[in-house]
Amino acid sequence: MAGAVFPWRSANRFELLIDGPQFFPRMLAAIAQAQDHIDLELYLVESGACADAIVQALEHAAEREVRVRCLFDGYGSLAFSVGLRRRLIDAGVELRFYNRISWRKGLNNLYRDHRKLLLVDQQLAVVGGTGVTDEFWQPGTNTCDWHEVMVEIQGPLVQDWQMLFDRQWRANISRKAWKPATHFGLSHLPRVPEQGAGMGRVAYADAHQHRDILQSLVRAINSAKQRIWLATPYFLPTWQVRRSLRRAASRGVDVRLLLTGPRTDHPSVRYAGHRYYPRLLKAGVQIFEYQPCFLHLKMVLIDDWVSIGSCNFDHWNLHFNLEANLEALDPALTQAVATSFVSDFKQSQPVSLYAWQSRPLWRRVKQRIWGWVDRLVVNIVGRR
């Protein structure tokens, strides 16, 4: 791997926060209580009631002389209005954008910062898959259009999240943003602890140069003994992940995929991913499509091992994006994640092999076309 790897750290506290009406008020409260430092790294930031609430909280923090740094993706924040940007800057917030879109960059525009991270006073971290848009949360309501989770972290592990943010913040002023530093962490993937409470580590991806986040997932799948439950909104997994899932199911592991149903922001991606269903179903993998709303969470439960964060584990994410996930071994967090999965499975439509083979022609055509497009683009980009 091109970059150093973070170790496992003990004595941490984790809390799973499900959906925007739960985690956004907690994030706003943490910002309001900040004394010294706030760092916010996001991909998707769009003007609206949610963004206005976050901007207002950051303004107030900066006005009381808290240092506030925001690192937003240059593409994901295109709908973040000039007015909101000006409010942050005028309040004294340090605002930077990762890889601003420019026609001169060509395919380099595909490199994106997909991480989602809030750090407060180097004492608390909130990580997961949310963006700051009204789809995730509209202030004053208890409903949301997109289903998502975040994890609140306290303990020694927060310092590793801080180090990851600081490195990207410094690197963002030049193309070194895509060249991982090697002055921290380990040189290889650490062994997963046998057991324990409060164990956690930072797993990350720096575009195509560093992917310990993928290696860790594949290792966990290959060593699974009881269950592999994986949720992702965009199911375009690498060949290595697909093979590992099939092999796990064939040796009797309970393998379940929680995927987005008909309510999605990218129907073409959903259709492209459908081409992987037949072989997985024949191998014994169970597939569930979430029905109530758009499932946006990225969460994995393998035996007692948990991974939650920004990574969809698809070939696009791992080739072009900055990603970061919390990996944890903690009985309370494991139980909370398992309970969340069970609740979501109950609200999902199981996909059987018989039903899949009986799907209408128009759906087969869409799946074939978008699957072909995805393969074509991946092959072209891969050669480049």
Side-chain angles (χ1 to χ4, degrees), residues 212-343:
D212 84 285
I213 196 170
L214 173 63
Q215 294 186 12
S216 186
L217 173 71
V218 172
R219 183 180 67 179
I221 293 174
N222 290 339
S223 62
K225 295 179 174 59
Q226 298 175 337
R227 62 186 172 191
I228 300 171
W229 296 354
L230 186 151
T232 180
Y234 309 115
F235 187 62
L236 295 173
T238 65
W239 171 81
Q240 192 177 20
V241 170
R242 300 196 308 271
R243 182 186 64 177
S244 295
L245 290 172
R246 293 196 305 268
R247 288 181 173 179
S250 66
R251 65 175 186 266
V253 177
D254 176 14
V255 182
R256 305 186 200 181
L257 302 178
L258 179 63
L259 309 178
T260 189
R263 300 187 181 186
T264 175
D265 63 336
H266 293 300
S268 58
V269 175
R270 178 171 177 254
Y271 283 124
H274 281 169
R275 70 184 186 275
Y276 302 128
Y277 280 21
R279 290 194 69 185
L280 290 167
L281 290 169
K282 290 176 183 177
V285 174
Q286 301 177 67
I287 298 176
F288 298 82
E289 293 188 338
Y290 191 69
Q291 300 298 307
C293 62
F294 176 40
L295 179 134
H296 191 261
L297 58 90
K298 310 96 168 56
M299 185 164 70
V300 186
L301 176 61
I302 300 178
D303 294 340
D304 295 327
W305 178 90
V306 167
S307 178
I308 300 173
S310 68
C311 188
N312 294 305
F313 295 108
D314 64 77
H315 45 239
W316 288 103
N317 271 180
L318 294 165
H319 192 87
F320 293 111
N321 291 355
L322 304 181
E323 302 284 0
N325 274 33
L326 163 71
E327 294 181 0
L329 278 174
D330 179 76
L333 181 61
T334 295
Q335 183 57 51
V337 170
T339 300
S340 177
F341 264 115
V342 170
S343 175

Side-chain angles (χ1 to χ4, degrees), residues 118-172:
L118 171 67
L119 290 158
V120 178
D121 291 341
Q122 301 187 30
Q123 299 295 316
L124 180 141
V126 184
V127 303
T130 194
V132 173
T133 77
D134 288 354
E135 284 83 4
F136 291 102
W137 181 58
Q138 293 194 30
T141 68
N142 289 319
T143 60
C144 53
D145 296 326
W146 290 9
H147 181 33
E148 185 56 87
V149 298
M150 301 288 284
V151 181
E152 186 178 279
I153 306 168
Q154 297 181 63
L157 189 59
V158 174
Q159 295 303 314
D160 287 346
W161 285 104
Q162 187 69 58
M163 191 176 297
L164 188 71
F165 178 91
D166 288 343
R167 184 175 67 97
Q168 190 57 43
W169 179 261
R170 292 190 299 268
N172 199 66

Side-chain angles (χ1 to χ4, degrees), residues 66-100:
V66 174
R67 187 185 183 190
V68 181
R69 299 185 295 179
C70 294
L71 177 57
F72 297 158
D73 182 74
Y75 176 77
S77 63
L78 286 176
F80 187 53
S81 70
V82 174
L84 290 178
R85 299 180 190 208
R86 178 52 55 189
R87 283 174 56 185
L88 289 177
I89 294 171
D90 289 346
V93 173
E94 300 171 56
L95 181 60
R96 292 181 183 175
F97 294 91
Y98 178 86
N99 195 23
R100 290 177 182 269

Side-chain angles (χ1 to χ4, degrees), residues 73-76 78 97-106 108-112:
D73 182 74
Y75 176 77
L78 286 176
F97 294 91
Y98 178 86
N99 195 23
R100 290 177 182 269
I101 298 295
S102 170
W103 66 269
R104 293 184 179 89
K105 295 179 181 177
N108 283 334
N109 284 304
L110 295 174
Y111 288 92
R112 307 279 28 121

